[in-house]
Amino acid sequence: NYISSIGGDTFGMDNDDLTDIPKNVSTVIDLLEDKGISWGEYEVDMPSTGYTGFHFLNPQTHANMYVRKHNPAVSYVINQTPARLANMKNTTLFYEDLKNNALPQWMFITPNMTSDGHDSSITVAGEWAHSFVTPLLTNPNFMQNTLLLITFDETETYTVKNNVLGILLGDAIPATLKGTKDNNFYDHY
């Protein structure tokens, strides 16, 4: 959970509320832009580029497809610049950017609520990840000194310590580290 106090106001990221992080809070986007590193987010089933709504429902089933809580940058780029909002796109544009060799240097890619396992199962999430990632591992427009981190944001049970698996793939991994395991503790920072 992320809790911060700024100017006497406290806000938290320990819920599903529609949260806007104040502009004076430094974020990973600020760090990337300060270093001249291009960035983008690709969200499965996000209805439009720069969408700032709470969620987007399947028109037939009314199930959650896109949810804002799985799009971290929207909480701290909203009410800022149109250029930043333009970096948050539907995954269909990922494939267009991939084809045109126009992917940003840093990307955050999120499946929809079914494909990420929240509204389905680990099997469904694994099948989505496999079908999405496998073709990328041999795509020369994607594999250009690339490090790919696959992870989940929480365990199934909220009452136990949150231990999640992180899998690193890509051609940026030194050959001596491929197939190894690291049991060190890491957090989102």
Side-chain angles (χ1 to χ4, degrees), residues 104-174:
Q105 291 170 272
W106 184 92
M107 293 174 276
F108 190 93
I109 302 168
T110 307
N112 64 25
M113 290 291 285
T114 299
S115 298
D116 73 1
H118 272 87
D119 293 350
S120 57
S121 68
I122 190 68
T123 301
V124 171
E127 289 170 352
W128 181 88
H130 183 267
S131 68
F132 181 79
V133 171
T134 300
L136 297 176
L137 296 176
T138 57
N139 187 311
N141 287 354
F142 188 78
M143 281 297 148
Q144 297 178 23
N145 199 26
T146 297
L147 176 63
L148 177 64
L149 168 62
I150 301 172
T151 191
F152 290 84
D153 59 354
E154 76 259 348
T155 57
E156 182 178 0
T157 305
Y158 294 112
T159 58
V160 298
K161 185 178 178 184
N162 194 20
N163 291 313
V164 296
L165 172 69
I167 301 170
L168 301 176
L169 302 169
D171 61 347
I173 299 172

Side-chain angles (χ1 to χ4, degrees), residues 49-60:
T49 297
Y51 180 74
T52 60
F54 187 70
H55 62 211
F56 182 70
L57 301 178
N58 181 305
Q60 285 79 38

Side-chain angles (χ1 to χ4, degrees), residues 5 19-20 38 71 77 85 96 100 115 132 136 154 157 166:
S5 178
T19 302
D20 292 334
S38 60
N71 177 358
V77 301
L85 290 173
E96 187 177 308
N100 295 325
S115 298
F132 181 79
L136 297 176
E154 76 259 348
T157 305

